[in-house]
Amino acid sequence: MVPYKHYGLLAIVGLMWMAGCSSPYVENNKIEEIAPVVFWSIDKGTEGKLKISTLVPPLIQEKKRLLSKEVDLLKQGGQEFNLIYYRELKQGQLRMLLINEELAKKGGIEKLINTILVDPDISMRVYLLIVRGDFDEYIKNQLTKQENQDYFLYRMLKHYEEHNQGEMSIVNIHKFMKKVYSPFKDPILPVFHSDKNNFNYVGTALFQNDKEVMVIQDVDDNIFQLLDNDHFLKVLAIPKFSISLGRIRSNVRMKLSRDYSSLSLHVGLKGRIEEYQGESNIQSEELLQHLIHEIEVYLEEQTSDLLKRMQRLKVDPLEVGTHSLKAFSKEITDEQWMKHWENMKINVDYDIKVHPLINGAVDVFQNK
Amino acid sequence: MKSLSLYNRTSTLGGIYFLFLVNRMQMHYFILIMPVYLVHSYMVWAIVVMGLLSQLNLMMMSKWFTSSYAAKGYQGFLQLFGKRAVQIFAILGFLIILLKISIVTLGYVEMLHSFIFPSMDKKWLILMILLISLFVASHGMENTLRFVVIAFLCGAWIVVLFIPFFFQADASYRDLYPLIPTEWSGQSWQGLWFIWSAFSGPVYLAFMVPWLSSNKKISKYLVIGNMLSIMEYILLFVASVLFYGSHYLRKIDFPIGYMGSYIQTSGLERIDYILISFHMFNYVFDISILLLCFYGAGRIFMRKMKERSTRIGLLSSWFVILISIILMDQWLWQTVPGQKMLLNLQIWIGACIYLLIPTILFTAVKRKESM
């Protein structure tokens, strides 16, 4: 048999050579000497430069500070921060990329995101956010008020991403890039508003050709979550009828006509009435049906209005175009689809089934 | 000079080993880049068709496994083809195996390099990985063949982790449309050859029959092993189409690797590191077996079959491989056209030998029997 001790010797010599003569490892990840970055915030700088900033150190018990730098290229940021800060910044724990809305409107964010995507240290699960206002101002102000605010923001996004809870559109790099490169799909990103004291969710930004073209918010954003993103909403408040529907699940059916000239959109909603502050007596079956019918009409109007705006801007974030794909025939191109989409007639039909507000308010067996 | 009993045999390995061997030899580097070559969802039928053809091929090979010539090893080949022809075959085999080892190693090292050690010099990775293979190979043919059990246990479960990709929120079944080929181009033909070549691993089993049992029941295990590979290929391919969509898929160099890095559990992130490391068992097994075949082929054409195998012999064939890999890396692999050329070469050669060897052996045995 083979004398194993020789292999042991060979391995030891090999290891000594590796450690001593020419180390193949050039990265030093000693935890006491590095600062893993949790987020990059990218803003428009002066003279076409990018202003990028991050909070260091992210999780160690040490006084935090905000680093920010104006650079031409994104990667330069990390490099220059190392020169002004005593820890080496490492990108392996990057969790969020915040992009200022003005930058997103100007276009060119795909290149920024691609830069993050090709870095082998960074996971594809980095969350992308559009920020309206000054995020640096907010995080600087929070430094004294709340520790680890950057980490909590990440936890918030992670919380709403899991189980598609229908509160926010949460998008990571992979989801964004998949939609960028696929035909019939237009990418979306969440928009947050930020000022000195607040950082709050606004709505969903729709992208076309690498530019933010539209932001949908409030009821429109709720409808968007129901139609595509999550198919679920915890609360749909409609102040116009003084009513809140809760725990709504949606069932969306789209039917394209053969020549792609019209689309019929059927949305079935199932939920509960969770609040009613109006005057109508909804304990009566008839009046309740009347109210629901009014809500249906209202949602139908809102939805067709939303879809019309999307058509005008030539965006298709609902991926209606994928319904033109068939199992046994050739697909149409993205351009052809856009031509059809612009001029498409859309019929929206809502069908709401609700569990009435009964607890304590009505005699359950009144009809018996 | 000390002699090394690399090719001794104490017992023959049973039928279940055929299952593991066939399956693991079909799952090396090519599975990692397979989606890039297939791209369109309808190419899933290519996997099915080529898999079934490979099934036929394996049935043909099982005829060879049970023939009396195969069990005799080298002597059997001499009886079938004569000394001259066997030597020519050995030289051809020597070159083909050298090419296969080099390309598979370069591919796997590239993956290690781009995922786990991006700033490391690639030569270190090549050296380390070949050292591990040398270590396994130096235990002899029989033990290396037994190593397939470890390779199977370490590699077969990985595919299960990709099942959740079928149920992700943004995985729409409409991404799989159209289901039938709507256009057929040169690239599609290449996809077919690619799959055929990816399934070609078990062809080397034809030269290992003396160590394996040659009873009549093995064809069942060959079929099951091949079936497992087909299923793994289909599962990974469909999962990758659902995950990327065919338009994004063609822009990714290691789709399966990136999907691995997307898997996340509450405790562990970046599972790709673990998966790639486990895949290394499979890879090391493949290379060790090929290394022994390589040395064997070398011995045949150097006319050393009468003498015992030596440590110097094994080490020098290992050095030939190491040098060939480093040179290929320097000259060809680092440029895109060079890399494409090498991969195409491997696709064609792998596909050709998978077509030729079983047919040649089959007809040779039939002819001898009828004489």
Side-chain angles (χ1 to χ4, degrees), chain A residues 214-316:
Chain A
M214 173 179 167
V215 176
I216 47 181
Q217 39 187 310
D218 306 326
V219 181
D220 288 345
D221 193 44
N222 286 340
I223 290 173
F224 182 72
Q225 304 293 348
L226 283 176
L227 286 185
D228 180 61
N229 203 26
D230 295 329
H231 297 288
F232 179 74
L233 257 190
K234 210 159 270 174
V235 177
L236 175 65
I238 307 169
K240 194 179 167 193
F241 302 107
S242 320
I243 193 169
S244 300
L245 303 178
R247 289 156 230 250
I248 308 173
R249 284 187 176 278
S250 68
N251 178 16
V252 181
R253 264 180 294 152
M254 293 189 195
K255 206 163 162 26
L256 276 173
S257 65
R258 268 178 187 282
D259 56 351
Y260 307 128
S261 64
S262 71
L263 166 76
S264 68
L265 176 67
H266 178 91
V267 189
L269 298 183
K270 280 195 184 115
R272 319 154 48 97
I273 296 178
E274 299 208 329
E275 181 183 9
Y276 184 65
Q277 307 223 359
E279 300 303 318
S280 167
N281 175 22
I282 57 165
Q283 287 164 12
S284 126
E285 188 70 17
E286 203 176 312
L287 287 173
L288 179 67
Q289 285 312 323
H290 180 69
L291 180 68
I292 288 174
H293 180 71
E294 277 186 328
I295 297 172
E296 280 174 0
V297 171
Y298 168 74
L299 286 176
E300 276 159 19
E301 275 168 10
Q302 287 284 334
T303 309
S304 3
D305 182 51
L306 178 67
L307 289 170
K308 278 210 184 86
R309 272 185 288 153
M310 287 180 185
Q311 281 177 301
R312 221 171 22 239
L313 293 163
K314 299 188 199 174
V315 283
D316 179 14

Side-chain angles (χ1 to χ4, degrees), chain A residues 57-296:
Chain A
L59 275 177
I60 310 165
Q61 296 290 338
E62 208 174 287
K63 199 162 165 37
K64 284 176 191 284
R65 55 175 160 152
L66 185 78
L67 296 182
S68 112
K69 201 91 190 151
E70 290 210 353
V71 284
D72 294 308
L73 300 171
L74 185 59
K75 284 277 160 184
Q76 266 184 321
Q79 198 190 10
E80 292 196 9
F81 285 145
N82 286 338
L83 304 179
I84 56 171
Y85 184 58
Y86 51 85
R87 287 178 190 279
E88 186 184 354
L89 298 187
K90 291 278 181 180
Q91 317 231 359
Q93 291 293 323
L94 189 72
R95 298 305 164 101
M96 293 177 285
L97 186 68
L98 302 111
I99 300 169
N100 193 278
E101 194 176 27
E102 282 179 36
L103 215 58
K105 277 183 182 154
K106 209 182 85 190
I109 65 164
E110 275 168 26
K111 284 192 182 118
L112 290 177
I113 293 166
N114 236 331
T115 313
I116 300 289
L117 184 69
V118 296
D119 192 324
D121 290 342
I122 301 175
S123 129
M124 288 192 293
R125 286 191 180 258
V126 172
Y127 296 118
L128 298 172
L129 291 80
I130 297 289
V131 178
R132 190 179 277 178
D134 195 348
F135 181 72
D136 292 2
E137 195 66 35
Y138 167 74
I139 203 90
K140 216 187 282 175
N141 194 33
Q142 291 291 315
L143 274 183
T144 49
K145 288 186 189 161
Q146 165 85 58
E147 268 182 45
N148 299 335
Q149 184 63 25
D150 46 351
Y151 176 69
F152 291 131
L153 281 181
Y154 160 68
R155 291 304 302 213
M156 174 188 85
L157 296 172
K158 197 170 156 60
H159 178 83
Y160 288 115
E161 183 197 36
E162 270 167 37
H163 307 306
N164 301 320
Q165 304 194 44
E167 306 273 342
M168 305 178 182
S169 320
I170 306 288
V171 179
N172 61 29
I173 288 195
H174 169 74
K175 285 182 186 158
F176 184 81
M177 286 320 256
K178 180 182 177 184
K179 290 191 175 176
V180 167
Y181 285 118
S182 301
F184 316 126
K185 293 178 184 179
D186 285 316
I188 57 169
L189 286 181
V191 181
F192 286 78
H193 177 264
S194 153
D195 58 28
K196 204 165 180 214
N197 295 309
N198 290 306
F199 185 76
N200 60 287
Y201 179 74
V202 176
T204 307
L206 311 183
F207 283 77
Q208 171 72 319
N209 294 329
D210 200 11
K211 276 196 184 103
E212 181 195 303
V213 288
M214 173 179 167
V215 176
I216 47 181
Q217 39 187 310
D218 306 326
V219 181
D220 288 345
D221 193 44
N222 286 340
I223 290 173
F224 182 72
Q225 304 293 348
L226 283 176
L227 286 185
D228 180 61
N229 203 26
D230 295 329
H231 297 288
F232 179 74
L233 257 190
K234 210 159 270 174
V235 177
L236 175 65
I238 307 169
K240 194 179 167 193
F241 302 107
S242 320
I243 193 169
S244 300
L245 303 178
R247 289 156 230 250
I248 308 173
R249 284 187 176 278
S250 68
N251 178 16
V252 181
R253 264 180 294 152
M254 293 189 195
K255 206 163 162 26
L256 276 173
S257 65
R258 268 178 187 282
D259 56 351
Y260 307 128
S261 64
S262 71
L263 166 76
S264 68
L265 176 67
H266 178 91
V267 189
L269 298 183
K270 280 195 184 115
R272 319 154 48 97
I273 296 178
E274 299 208 329
E275 181 183 9
Y276 184 65
Q277 307 223 359
E279 300 303 318
S280 167
N281 175 22
I282 57 165
Q283 287 164 12
S284 126
E285 188 70 17
E286 203 176 312
L287 287 173
L288 179 67
Q289 285 312 323
H290 180 69
L291 180 68
I292 288 174
H293 180 71
E294 277 186 328
I295 297 172
E296 280 174 0

Side-chain angles (χ1 to χ4, degrees), chain A residues 14-33:
Chain A
L15 284 174
M16 277 164 71
W17 185 27
M18 277 168 78
C21 302
S22 66
S23 169
Y25 301 108
V26 284
E27 300 216 12
N28 184 352
N29 282 328
K30 203 172 275 176
I31 195 79
E32 290 86 359
E33 294 161 10

Side-chain angles (χ1 to χ4, degrees), chain A residues 2 4 27 95 125 172 327, chain B residues 119 138-139 179 262 269-270:
Chain A
V2 193
Y4 293 110
E27 300 216 12
R95 298 305 164 101
R125 286 191 180 258
N172 61 29
Chain B
S119 42
S138 68
H139 286 74
L179 288 176
Y262 198 76
E269 290 175 1
R270 296 306 296 268

Side-chain angles (χ1 to χ4, degrees), chain B residues 338-351:
Chain B
Q339 193 172 345
K340 267 213 177 115
M341 193 203 83
L342 281 180
L343 276 175
N344 283 338
L345 198 64
Q346 174 55 32
I347 291 172
W348 283 105
I349 290 179

Side-chain angles (χ1 to χ4, degrees), chain B residues 109-322:
Chain B
V109 162
E110 168 125 328
M111 174 132 172
L112 270 184
H113 185 252
S114 61
F115 278 90
I116 307 184
F117 301 110
S119 42
M120 205 181 207
D121 191 346
K122 249 199 240 169
K123 288 193 206 74
W124 281 106
L125 294 171
I126 295 173
L127 182 72
M128 289 317 284
I129 249 177
L130 283 181
L131 273 177
I132 302 172
S133 304
L134 176 67
F135 175 73
V136 173
S138 68
H139 286 74
M141 189 59 126
E142 200 181 315
N143 285 324
T144 309
L145 283 174
R146 284 183 194 280
F147 185 64
V148 73
V149 180
I150 297 177
F152 185 82
L153 291 180
C154 288
W157 54 270
I158 291 179
V159 79
V160 177
L161 291 186
F162 287 80
I163 291 176
F165 285 106
F166 285 83
F167 307 108
Q168 283 205 332
D170 60 339
S172 156
Y173 68 90
R174 283 191 296 271
D175 281 335
L176 295 176
Y177 286 165
L179 288 176
I180 50 156
T182 48
E183 54 190 50
W184 198 259
S185 62
Q187 210 202 355
S188 319
W189 284 112
Q190 204 190 13
L192 281 184
W193 282 109
F194 178 87
I195 286 294
W196 183 249
S197 179
F199 279 127
S200 75
V203 88
Y204 293 96
L205 285 180
F207 313 107
M208 297 165 200
V209 184
W211 291 273
L212 301 161
S213 83
S214 53
N215 64 32
K216 303 270 177 212
K217 285 184 201 144
I218 53 166
S219 64
K220 181 177 75 184
Y221 292 106
L222 294 176
V223 167
I224 297 174
N226 193 55
M227 271 299 181
L228 272 182
S229 309
I230 299 176
M231 261 144 55
E232 281 176 74
Y233 271 81
I234 290 179
L235 193 141
L236 287 177
F237 178 61
V238 175
S240 64
V241 171
L242 284 175
F243 185 62
Y244 295 104
S246 19
H247 290 263
Y248 187 24
L249 184 60
R250 61 186 81 169
K251 297 187 195 305
I252 314 267
D253 49 355
F254 288 114
I256 306 281
Y258 282 108
M259 283 165 78
S261 76
Y262 198 76
I263 301 173
Q264 196 177 44
T265 62
S266 46
L268 276 177
E269 290 175 1
R270 296 306 296 268
I271 291 187
D272 51 334
Y273 289 9
I274 301 170
L275 297 186
I276 291 172
S277 311
F278 268 108
H279 190 73
M280 203 190 297
F281 280 97
N282 193 359
Y283 164 83
V284 164
F285 159 73
D286 217 27
I287 297 299
S288 323
I289 281 287
L290 288 176
L291 176 61
L292 286 169
C293 289
F294 181 72
Y295 179 40
R299 275 174 14 123
I300 291 172
F301 81 74
M302 308 264 276
R303 305 204 180 111
K304 293 265 174 69
M305 277 316 275
K306 298 254 164 56
E307 298 159 35
R308 290 176 64 83
S309 53
T310 60
R311 189 178 298 155
I312 298 290
L314 182 66
L315 268 179
S316 45
S317 23
W318 182 77
F319 266 111
V320 171
I321 292 171
L322 179 67

